[in-house]
Amino acid sequence: MLRGVSIRDMLIIDQLDLDFQPGLNVLTGETGAGKSILLDCLGFVLGWRGRAELVRQGADQGEVTAWFDIAPDHPVRPVLEDAGFECDDELILRRINTRDGRKTAFVNDRRASGQVLRAIGEQLLELHGQHDDRGLLNVKAHRALLDEFAQNERLIEACRAAWRSMTAAGKAVDDRRSAIAAVAEEEDFLRHAVAELTKFGPEAGEENTLDARRRMMQAAEKIRDDVAKAHQALGFDGAEGMVSNASRWIENAAAQVDGALDGPLTTIGDALNAIGDAQAQVEQFLDSLSFDAHDLETTEERLFALRALARKHGVAADDLPALTDALAAKLETLDQGTAGLADLEKAHRAAQAAFDQAAADLTANRVSAGAALDQAMGRELAPLKMERAVFRTTITAGTPGSSGVDDVAFTVATNPGAPAGPLNKIASGGELSRFLLALKVCLTGQDTHRTMIFDEIDRGVGGATADAVGRRLKALGQGGQVLVVTHSPQVAALGATHWRVEKHTLGDVTTSTVVPLTDPMRVDEVARMISGDTITDAARAAAQELLSAV
């Protein structure tokens, strides 16, 4: 509920503070007094797009603050949470407009973007009037309004889930078909490449191994003689024999010197062991140098073929095994793709059938709810002196989507037999106001979270019809809050709270203000609305009668 508004230096308002009340709040005043300016200021603080020039002449900046009571289950709370704002039971919105057009918004004293402000505002206030293209006259919103009336939340969520499953299954089919088509274009290349690579059987690190073996074989003849000489020098005719003799001679002498030669004897033993190990390793290496010319030829052919394959496929030789696996996988996709595609297509058909059923259930409920809404509208239009008018909810096949397959539009015919058409095309100004009011009464139900503002929605009606309009506005305000800008004394008399908008001119400065009316002041204001500028005793008596009949 809107608790209050504070306005500073906006348009022709220099300073204004208003405290609104539950129920029906009425704002009256002479034409041009500034009632629409108050609505412009409310729209500004809620982020609605409106006038470009809002700052009062002579001021550096204008500012509007609005504060709201927020119930625990108010639909604005998820919007605030998604935007990262904490909210207790009170929500304060503030927006500043500077002379150069810069706008700054705050939500509970934290900066907020205009987009976030608009999302919050849509959950707090509804504005309805004869040019209500944001709400009931917007045919794009009719399906959502009907769903809200029908309480279709569960069916819509089921439809959305089925739509997501169907679109995901369809994407999987399309992706598989695209993959098969892409692979099919290179089938001949794939089969030849996989056969060639598989037959060759490249291994990781093979290039380095082959290259090292080739270089070793090329150098083998040159190094073999040196290595053989080294092997002979390490043998019994060389180092091993000499060290063995030294060991034997030391042993003979050691027996006569009481252990003085034990250290050298041990060292010589270690040397013999080391010489033996070296001789064995050299001998092993000599064995590896044993090859014939065919071994070198075979190694070179394998190495050159490996490098040629790598150049052919534009990869490093070590990447050929991974390439073989990747190309084989592509070929397997082609070979097995038809069977996999059939499974995916079957899953897509099942998902399509599930969506069709969910959409059909939603359509059936919308048709039933549309008939109920038409009947409810018929009951509401009769007291508004439109008993001959016909309201119809038309449901036609639309583009399938997450919310079903239906297009919904509210149409009217003002007289039996007359062609039906959109609300804003068929009805006159006064008729349109009553249609919108009746529709809002039917659609509102128990939703009392949003404050509803009606801007001269009673224009063009009077007498008993105006009284019927006022009583429906009052009914809408029960348990909630309604603000109405009106020129109808019958409507004004039904308000729980009444303000008069006044315009004053001092010199060349014009300002607008809003005055809360006491009971005696209300009598004079309603009398003015009845008789005009000159308030007669008869007008006062009529005003008192209207106010006492509430």
Side-chain angles (χ1 to χ4, degrees), residues 183 190-191 325-338:
V183 173
L190 284 173
R191 294 197 183 280
D325 294 340
L327 295 180
K330 279 190 174 183
L331 192 58
E332 185 179 5
T333 298
L334 178 63
D335 292 338
Q336 299 182 355
T338 303

Side-chain angles (χ1 to χ4, degrees), residues 165-339:
S165 298
M166 183 187 70
T167 53
K171 184 178 185 303
V173 170
D174 292 341
D175 290 346
R176 176 57 64 91
R177 286 174 178 167
S178 297
I180 292 173
V183 173
E185 292 179 358
E186 52 178 347
E187 180 179 3
D188 292 341
F189 162 75
L190 284 173
R191 294 197 183 280
H192 172 75
V194 170
E196 181 182 41
L197 288 166
T198 302
K199 181 179 179 181
F200 187 85
E203 298 178 0
E206 185 179 6
E207 181 185 25
N208 288 337
T209 301
L210 290 171
D211 187 56
R213 179 169 175 76
R214 172 175 173 260
R215 284 187 284 106
M216 185 183 68
M217 285 190 291
Q218 287 175 333
E221 291 301 328
K222 178 179 178 181
I223 66 175
R224 183 178 179 82
D225 290 342
D226 291 338
V227 176
K229 291 176 182 178
H231 182 266
Q232 184 177 5
L234 290 171
F236 192 78
D237 293 334
E240 182 182 0
M242 294 175 68
V243 174
S244 294
N245 290 334
S247 176
R248 186 176 67 254
W249 295 331
I250 293 294
E251 286 178 355
N252 292 336
Q256 304 175 38
V257 294
D258 295 328
L261 292 174
D262 289 349
L265 188 62
T266 299
T267 302
I268 291 171
D270 292 341
L272 277 172
N273 291 333
I275 290 172
D277 290 342
Q279 187 181 25
Q281 293 174 14
V282 171
E283 186 176 357
Q284 184 179 5
F285 182 73
L286 277 173
D287 291 341
S288 71
L289 294 178
S290 299
F291 65 90
D292 56 28
H294 180 70
D295 289 337
L296 176 59
E297 182 181 351
T298 300
T299 299
E300 287 184 333
E301 286 179 354
R302 176 76 179 179
L303 177 62
F304 296 157
L306 181 70
R307 289 174 173 172
L309 272 176
R311 288 194 300 272
K312 178 178 179 180
H313 292 285
V315 298
D318 283 347
D319 293 334
L320 284 173
L323 177 65
T324 303
D325 294 340
L327 295 180
K330 279 190 174 183
L331 192 58
E332 185 179 5
T333 298
L334 178 63
D335 292 338
Q336 299 182 355
T338 303

Side-chain angles (χ1 to χ4, degrees), residues 17 120 169 171 238 286 306 315-316 391 395 403 449 482 506 546:
D17 296 291
I120 294 172
K171 184 178 185 303
L286 277 173
L306 181 70
V315 298
F391 176 92
I395 301 174
S403 295
H449 289 111
V482 172
L506 181 60
L546 282 175

